[in-house]
Coordinates of all heavy atoms in Angstrom, one line a residue:
L5 N -1.5 11.1 1.6 CA -1.4 12.3 2.3 C -2.7 13.0 2.3 O -3.4 13.1 1.2 CB -0.3 13.2 1.8 CG 0.1 14.4 2.6 CD1 0.8 14.1 3.8 CD2 1.0 15.3 1.7
V20 N -23.6 29.2 -5.2 CA -23.0 28.9 -3.9 C -22.3 27.5 -3.9 O -22.4 26.8 -2.9 CB -24.1 29.0 -2.8 CG1 -23.5 29.0 -1.4 CG2 -25.0 30.2 -3.1
L43 N 8.3 14.0 -1.0 CA 9.4 13.9 -2.0 C 10.5 14.8 -1.5 O 11.5 14.3 -1.0 CB 8.9 14.3 -3.4 CG 7.7 13.4 -3.9 CD1 7.3 13.9 -5.3 CD2 8.1 12.0 -3.9
P67 N -16.8 21.3 4.5 CA -15.4 21.1 4.9 C -14.8 20.2 3.8 O -15.1 19.0 3.7 CB -15.5 20.5 6.3 CG -16.8 19.7 6.2 CD -17.7 20.5 5.3
T71 N -7.0 14.1 -0.8 CA -6.1 13.0 -0.5 C -5.2 12.9 -1.7 O -5.7 13.0 -2.8 CB -6.8 11.7 -0.2 OG1 -7.6 11.4 -1.3 CG2 -7.7 11.9 1.1
C74 N 0.4 8.1 -4.5 CA 1.0 7.7 -5.8 C 0.4 6.3 -6.2 O 0.6 5.3 -5.5 CB 2.5 7.6 -5.6 SG 3.4 7.2 -7.2
F105 N 12.4 15.9 -12.8 CA 13.0 16.8 -13.8 C 14.2 17.4 -13.1 O 14.1 18.0 -12.0 CB 12.0 17.8 -14.3 CG 12.4 18.4 -15.6 CD1 12.2 17.8 -16.8 CD2 13.0 19.7 -15.6 CE1 12.6 18.4 -18.0 CE2 13.3 20.3 -16.8 CZ 13.2 19.6 -18.0
R122 N 9.8 6.6 0.0 CA 8.9 7.5 0.8 C 7.4 7.4 0.2 O 6.5 7.4 1.0 CB 9.3 8.9 0.7 CG 10.6 9.2 1.6 CD 10.9 10.6 1.5 NE 12.1 10.9 2.3 CZ 12.8 12.1 2.2 NH1 12.4 13.0 1.3 NH2 13.8 12.2 3.0

Side-chain angles (χ1 to χ4, degrees):
L5 189 67
V20 195
L43 303 180
T71 61
C74 183
F105 199 79
R122 288 181 178 165

